[in-house]
Amino acid sequence: MSESPKRLKKKNLSNKEKKGKLLFQSPKGMRDILPDERPYWDKIEKAGRETADFYNFLRIDTPLVEFSEIFERAVGGATDIIEKQMYYIKSRGKDRLALRPEGTAGIVRAYLEHGLSKTAQPLKLYYFGPMFRYESPQFGRYRQFYQFGFEILGDKDDPIYDAQIVLAGFRLLEELKIKNLNIEINSLGCKNCRSNYRKKLQDYYKKNQNKICRDCKRRLSLNPLRLLDCKNEDCQQIKSKAPVMLDHLCSSCKNHFRGVLEYLDELGLPYSLNPYLVRGLDYYNRTVFEFSAENYGISLGGGGRYDDLAVMLGAKHSLPACGSSLGIERVIEVMKNQGIAGLTKGRVKVFLAQIGQPAKKRAFRLIEEFGKAGIKIMESFGKESLKSQLKIADKENIGIALILGQKEVFEENIILRDMKSGAQETVPLNKIVEAVKRRLK
Ligand code: HAM
């Protein structure tokens, strides 16, 4: 005997379904942004756009997917991002693609690809979008997260651009009213001073080899600067006595760094020197910095100078450039923590109630007529009774209710009710938009 379709369906159910549980959730470390969080995103996007506009940054959008080699070359082989966190894409083609773990490498690729050096320099660009890193999700750390970033590319390696990049990110955080901000800053020098320093660092860590974690032992030969990036508790003691880069800068890098700090001083920006700040990406030279807020243990954003990134991606000449990006989820967490509200939308001031099918149909059209006049209408098409509809208008604190019943549609009228006083008047349907406009004034 063959099984009935119902029996078959039951048999094929997964254990989750059998227990009445949801079959699917969003992937680990990736979140839905629900409408109640939207006001924070809107506020950040608006403030970001205004800040970018004020400092003359132009918007750029690059694909979420790039050739993985771009990141491998730019971010660096011995970094956590490349070793552990890249989302490689399996496609039907042979291209080795990856979801972007950050935005800067793609922007430099686009700059080179489109010959943007021929436009007015420096080219100031900004972006806002999701990045992907296969991290262990925890507080403030997601696998899909958003960044708002600023980049200045081309012209000279003038320290004023480093300062302007710090300033743009800082102003955006300030614009959002985030309090107790700090900037940690350091210089990684150039290739020359860094190679001397790297040697010193290696010598020091070699002497302490038996006291460092397994990852650091590997970093010691592969990429010694990454030793300073280690978050392992056991390595902190060793790190705190390690030689510092600032003592090993060549005179040109020293002058550059002094220049950056002088510009920051000029504006009174609150920075502190952190000689162990190296950042988790290999493309930086000279200035590196991070933003933080008091009582929030992880960085809100960071950046630095990356003059060699273009060459890493195959350009013949280096391209003076610097940039930064803010982690939007973290910024929102701090806003919530500090009691900062999101962007509030303009309140709806008019409610349209309808009773009966002909009125519902006419109301449907009337809303469009209000729309053309720029007046937003709230309705509740799902509710039948006038009482329940007016209850909503009341709850939403709406001042004007329009009531359309069968009789009104037939007579081409509508009732205008002042929700506060309860006073009502009948207005011809073809004059109602004007009448409401006058009242709203
Ligand atoms: P980054 O430090 O890797 O730099 O990321 C910048 C910011 O993105 C971090 O400070 C943090 O706020 C946020 N972020 C990073 N990873 C996560 C995560 N897993 N979950 C939530 N937020 C995260 C860069 O990406 C560079 N491209 C910045 C830059 C621009 N440098 C020059 N130009």
Side-chain angles (χ1 to χ4, degrees):
M1 202 180 77
S2 62
E3 287 184 276
S4 73
K6 225 176 176 178
R7 252 182 87 108
L8 252 177
K9 189 177 173 226
K10 207 166 176 191
K11 213 170 137 187
N12 291 335
L13 287 180
S14 70
N15 278 342
K16 268 188 176 175
E17 280 175 291
K18 281 180 197 153
K19 286 181 190 159
K21 284 192 181 162
L22 271 184
L23 196 50
F24 296 110
Q25 294 177 346
S26 64
K28 195 172 166 190
M30 301 192 180
R31 310 160 54 238
D32 299 308
I33 302 165
L34 299 177
D36 66 344
E37 205 181 70
R38 195 73 240 165
Y40 292 96
W41 291 80
D42 289 346
K43 189 169 196 168
I44 296 171
E45 268 194 76
K46 181 171 180 284
R49 263 199 319 272
E50 285 168 4
T51 308
D53 198 42
F54 181 75
Y55 294 112
N56 301 304
F57 285 82
L58 306 170
R59 169 100 185 203
I60 184 167
D61 286 284
T62 58
L64 302 194
V65 173
E66 297 274 358
F67 289 111
S68 47
E69 194 181 344
I70 288 182
F71 303 117
E72 287 154 1
R73 283 175 175 237
V75 176
T79 58
D80 278 356
I81 295 182
I82 299 303
E83 281 190 336
K84 305 175 189 164
Q85 299 168 355
M86 283 264 276
Y87 274 94
Y88 287 97
I89 292 184
K90 208 169 162 184
S91 74
R92 289 185 182 270
K94 291 212 169 64
D95 302 337
R96 288 190 69 240
L97 301 173
L99 288 180
R100 62 182 189 191
E102 59 100 50
T104 312
I107 288 178
V108 173
R109 192 263 313 135
Y111 179 95
L112 298 173
E113 181 176 338
H114 301 289
L116 297 180
S117 60
K118 293 188 195 89
T119 61
Q121 303 288 299
L123 182 60
K124 294 181 178 180
L125 299 170
Y126 79 96
Y127 54 97
F128 176 57
M131 309 293 157
F132 303 85
R133 295 183 193 173
Y134 192 81
E135 303 234 33
S136 309
Q138 50 189 286
F139 175 71
R141 202 171 288 283
Y142 304 98
R143 289 183 175 174
Q144 177 179 327
F145 58 96
Y146 283 69
Q147 288 185 345
F148 197 107
F150 301 96
E151 314 285 346
I152 300 182
L153 304 118
D155 199 21
K156 294 179 288 189
D157 60 359
D158 191 322
I160 200 161
Y161 295 136
D162 306 54
Q164 199 169 37
I165 275 295
V166 176
L167 175 64
F170 187 82
R171 281 284 179 260
L172 172 47
L173 292 169
E174 252 193 357
E175 192 61 33
L176 294 168
K177 306 277 180 290
I178 294 181
K179 294 181 282 289
N180 307 324
L181 287 168
N182 187 30
I183 304 160
E184 285 182 51
I185 193 162
N186 190 22
S187 174
L188 300 179
C190 61
K191 272 192 213 123
N192 293 340
C193 39
R194 216 163 36 232
S195 80
N196 290 337
Y197 173 63
R198 205 177 277 131
K199 178 92 191 38
K200 289 250 160 51
L201 198 63
Q202 254 172 338
D203 291 346
Y204 167 79
Y205 268 87
K206 268 185 193 154
K207 278 190 220 139
N208 292 287
Q209 219 164 5
N210 52 349
K211 296 178 198 150
I212 56 178
C213 71
R214 252 195 18 220
D215 272 349
C216 278
K217 281 188 184 129
R218 230 167 24 85
R219 289 174 182 134
L220 186 50
S221 52
L222 269 178
N223 194 343
L225 267 192
R226 295 266 79 82
L227 289 161
L228 300 178
D229 217 15
C230 182
K231 307 284 180 298
N232 191 313
E233 269 301 307
D234 302 338
C235 300
Q236 301 312 305
Q237 172 78 9
I238 304 296
K239 187 168 117 179
S240 67
K241 297 199 178 102
V244 296
M245 183 73 227
L246 290 180
D247 294 338
H248 297 85
L249 294 181
C250 65
S251 61
S252 155
C253 287
K254 230 179 240 170
N255 284 339
H256 189 273
F257 193 46
R258 191 176 303 128
V260 178
L261 300 184
E262 279 173 10
Y263 284 119
L264 298 182
D265 287 337
E266 186 68 23
L267 297 179
L269 295 191
Y271 65 82
S272 50
L273 297 184
N274 176 354
Y276 297 111
L277 182 69
V278 284
R279 314 241 324 112
L281 305 105
D282 272 357
Y283 52 60
Y284 293 117
N285 63 305
R286 291 190 164 166
T287 319
V288 284
F289 60 90
E290 284 187 355
F291 299 114
S292 60
E294 210 175 82
N295 301 329
Y296 189 78
I298 42 183
S299 85
L300 293 181
R305 174 162 285 284
Y306 51 90
D307 301 333
D308 300 322
L309 179 45
V311 171
M312 290 172 173
L313 297 187
K316 287 203 183 74
H317 307 289
S318 64
L319 168 74
C322 53
S324 80
S325 47
L326 298 176
I328 302 308
E329 287 79 1
R330 296 185 186 180
V331 171
I332 291 177
E333 274 162 23
V334 172
M335 285 170 74
K336 287 182 178 169
N337 238 310
Q338 298 192 355
I340 300 165
L343 191 73
T344 41
K345 285 217 180 107
R347 235 170 23 85
V348 186
K349 295 181 181 132
V350 185
F351 189 91
L352 176 53
Q354 33 72 40
I355 313 134
Q357 187 56 27
K360 196 172 189 171
K361 222 167 163 185
R362 184 66 184 91
F364 194 48
R365 178 147 57 92
L366 188 58
I367 291 174
E368 298 309 295
E369 292 164 27
F370 274 101
K372 281 192 187 122
I375 298 171
K376 251 168 81 174
I377 300 283
M378 185 178 275
E379 41 69 24
S380 180
F381 285 139
K383 300 249 179 312
E384 303 279 324
S385 82
L386 179 62
K387 197 171 160 201
S388 57
Q389 292 183 62
L390 291 184
K391 225 175 175 177
I392 296 173
D394 210 35
K395 202 171 141 217
E396 295 292 327
N397 211 4
I398 292 178
I400 299 171
L402 304 174
I403 303 165
L404 198 57
Q406 208 144 315
K407 177 172 171 283
E408 284 75 27
V409 175
F410 184 68
E411 293 171 357
E412 302 237 330
N413 284 328
I414 190 163
I415 297 168
L416 190 156
R417 178 186 172 95
D418 185 315
M419 289 297 287
K420 218 172 186 181
S421 65
Q424 296 195 165
E425 60 176 301
T426 301
V427 181
L429 256 173
N430 62 2
K431 301 243 162 59
I432 189 62
V433 174
E434 278 311 307
V436 168
K437 237 186 196 172
R438 272 198 306 278
R439 282 204 168 223
L440 290 179
K441 266 186 193 156

